[in-house]
Each structure stands twice: as C-alpha cells, then as structure tokens.
Amino acid sequence: RVMDDMDPLDAQRRAALDSQAEALLEWAEAEAREGRPRAAFARADEALAVAPEIPADLAAAATRLQERALAEGLRILAVFPVGSTAEVRRASLAELDAQLSDILETEHWRRPPLFVAVADPARVRQVTRRFSPPGTALDARRILEELGADFGALVELVDLQATERDVKRSSRSARTKDGRAVNYSLEEGRINYALAVEVTIFDDQGRPLESFTVRNAASDGFRRASYEGTFEDLDLSRGERLLFNPGEERRQRAALQESMLGELAADAGRETYERVVRRIP
C-alpha cells in the first residue's frame, strides 16, 4: 500500500520489491522445511514474479529451491491398462477400451503436470500381465510395488447407452430392374449415445483412495431402409443402396461412439492429474 499511496522514489520502490521477494523466498524455505514441496515451489515462483528483475542472488536461490522442491515432491503415477465392463463390450461397435487407451497414452499421459511422472505404459502393461493376467482381479499392490509407483490409476468404461429418438417412418416408391413399381420403407431419426468412464486412484499399497466418473454424450441422425424382397433387385442410386446396408449403419454408429472418446480422455486425464497432485503436500 505504501508503494501505491505514498509515491515512493524509484530507489525506494526497488528496495521494497527486493524485500518482498526476499520475504517470499524465506516463506518458501519455511514451506520446504515443513515438507510441503508444492507450497514451497509456489512461494518461490511468487518471489521470482515480484518484478521483471530481482537481485541475482535471490533469483538463483529461488530457482535452486524450486529444483529441490520438484525433486522432493515428485510422485510416480502408474496408469493400469484401460478396462471395460462386459455390458460395454457387448454394446460397443468397436474396441473402445483400446482406442481410449491409445488417446490417453499419446495425448495425455505424456504431458503430466509438475510433481507427477507417469510410469512407462509399456512397462506397466508388462507388469500387469505378470501379476494380473486377463480374467483375474487387479493386484494393484504388487503391480505398484514392482513399478516403484506412488499412485495408481485405473480407467474403466462402465456404461454405454444408445437410444433412438424422433423416428419417422415413410414409404418410398421405386422400380425393380424389370420395371415393376414397388415400395420400400424408410426410417429416419436420431441416435443418442451416452458413455461413462470411471477412474479409481490407488495409493502405493494398492488401496483405493477415491473414484470419480466422467461422462460424455453424442448424437447424430440416421436413415435406413428395408424391403420385403431382395433390395438388389431394385433400381436404386448408390446413395439409396447404402440405406439398405447394415454394415454402413454400423460403421457410422461406431464412428459416433469413437467421437466421444476424445473429450472423455481429456476430462479423465485432467481430473486424474488434479486429484493426484492434490495429494502431494
């Protein structure tokens, strides 16, 4: 307030800012002595940001303290292979767990925040297969102990719902290849998907600490046709023929399911990091 209200001279302002940086650095050192590396790092960061330039010795001390705090506070997070419930596997039209795992591994687990290091996913998969083969329960304690990890995270697809809405049915005219006039049925509407992921955080003893759920939804229009006879006998355009192809409808729905994974992965990755970081003093 003195600097704002009393119109100090430049030298006085400089001295005040240097004193402020020194006080913040002493505060940071106190946090470090109390075993709070994140708080120590933050106070040292404030000291460095007091002014465009602070005395070189203070800046060097603050930088060294931050390096020490990062080393002391670093925690290793092991992310177990992504799983899915039997219900989700039956309802999905693609290997959503494998795709979600790829997105998390390439776009999120490679960019951890300060104080978190993510264990090598290939190593985690190898150790998980050894202690928890497919079809067996997850032995989080032994896996984390083998990896030397401080925390574990299990990401699992737990729910996938599909609902068709606003379905309208109509009759369309066509001709057979031999010229007969016939009708076929057309259905148009929207397909709504809702997908949920549950993330469980474990301590280094394999004990669940907390769980949270991330959800996403997507919607798209659909059109499909049916004919009492053989639709190949109808004189149709290429686009009209696709309406009779169940494989095309399945492909479109699989693409819609996959489109939900990007946002789910971002939300799950961000919140996993946030919850782990909050457990670091």
Side-chain angles (χ1 to χ4, degrees), residues 7-193:
D7 194 21
L9 299 175
D10 287 345
Q12 293 173 318
R13 181 179 293 274
R14 178 76 265 172
L17 290 173
D18 291 350
S19 295
Q20 184 178 347
E22 186 175 355
L24 283 165
L25 182 57
E26 290 180 5
W27 185 357
E29 291 284 4
E31 295 284 14
R33 288 193 298 272
E34 292 298 320
R36 294 190 288 268
R38 280 205 304 128
F41 186 96
R43 296 292 82 76
D45 217 34
E46 288 183 40
L48 290 168
V50 161
E53 293 184 9
I54 61 173
D57 59 333
L58 287 181
T63 300
R64 288 194 300 271
L65 190 151
Q66 286 189 315
E67 292 172 352
R68 190 169 76 247
L70 282 172
E72 293 174 358
L74 186 67
R75 301 292 186 270
I76 298 174
L77 169 65
V79 183
F80 303 115
V82 175
S84 59
T85 63
E87 292 77 9
V88 170
R89 289 193 294 273
R90 283 194 294 269
S92 62
L93 300 173
E95 294 183 358
L96 296 182
D97 49 3
Q99 293 175 10
L100 178 59
S101 179
D102 288 345
I103 296 171
L104 286 167
E105 187 172 326
T106 58
E107 298 184 18
H108 301 285
W109 302 145
R110 293 185 182 181
R111 297 193 296 273
L114 292 175
F115 296 99
V116 176
V118 177
D120 177 24
R123 171 72 172 149
V124 175
R125 287 193 292 270
Q126 180 186 48
V127 174
T128 301
R129 284 195 299 269
R130 188 196 317 170
F131 292 116
S132 299
T136 65
L138 180 70
D139 192 342
R141 184 190 63 79
R142 295 182 69 189
I143 296 169
L144 295 176
E145 182 180 28
E146 178 72 14
L147 294 168
D150 301 288
F151 296 98
L154 175 62
V155 181
E156 188 174 28
L157 293 159
V158 295
D159 190 37
L160 176 60
Q161 300 292 329
T163 307
E164 291 185 1
R165 298 186 181 277
D166 304 322
V167 180
K168 298 178 182 178
R169 297 172 177 82
S170 59
S171 179
R172 295 295 178 92
S173 60
R175 287 190 176 275
T176 62
K177 292 179 179 179
D178 59 11
R180 290 183 297 109
V182 295
N183 291 321
Y184 66 86
S185 297
L186 178 67
E187 288 185 329
E188 301 174 275
R190 297 196 67 80
I191 176 72
N192 297 338
Y193 278 107

Side-chain angles (χ1 to χ4, degrees), residues 185-263:
S185 297
L186 178 67
E187 288 185 329
E188 301 174 275
R190 297 196 67 80
I191 176 72
N192 297 338
Y193 278 107
L195 183 60
V197 166
E198 184 177 79
V199 181
T200 303
I201 309 294
F202 298 84
D203 67 9
D204 60 350
Q205 297 301 307
R207 295 175 297 226
L209 296 172
E210 60 180 314
S211 296
F212 63 91
T213 302
V214 176
R215 302 180 186 276
N216 194 14
S219 177
D220 199 5
F222 72 85
R223 302 176 77 219
R224 59 173 173 249
S226 60
Y227 176 58
E228 290 183 354
T230 304
F231 82 90
E232 287 88 349
D233 294 337
L234 302 179
D235 186 12
L236 302 170
S237 68
R238 183 176 181 278
E240 290 171 327
R241 287 185 176 277
L242 286 176
L243 297 174
F244 291 88
N245 185 352
E248 177 65 15
E249 183 180 4
R250 181 182 177 87
R251 183 193 66 77
Q252 293 175 348
R253 295 195 176 198
L256 183 60
Q257 291 182 7
E258 294 168 19
S259 72
M260 295 187 287
L261 295 179
E263 186 174 337

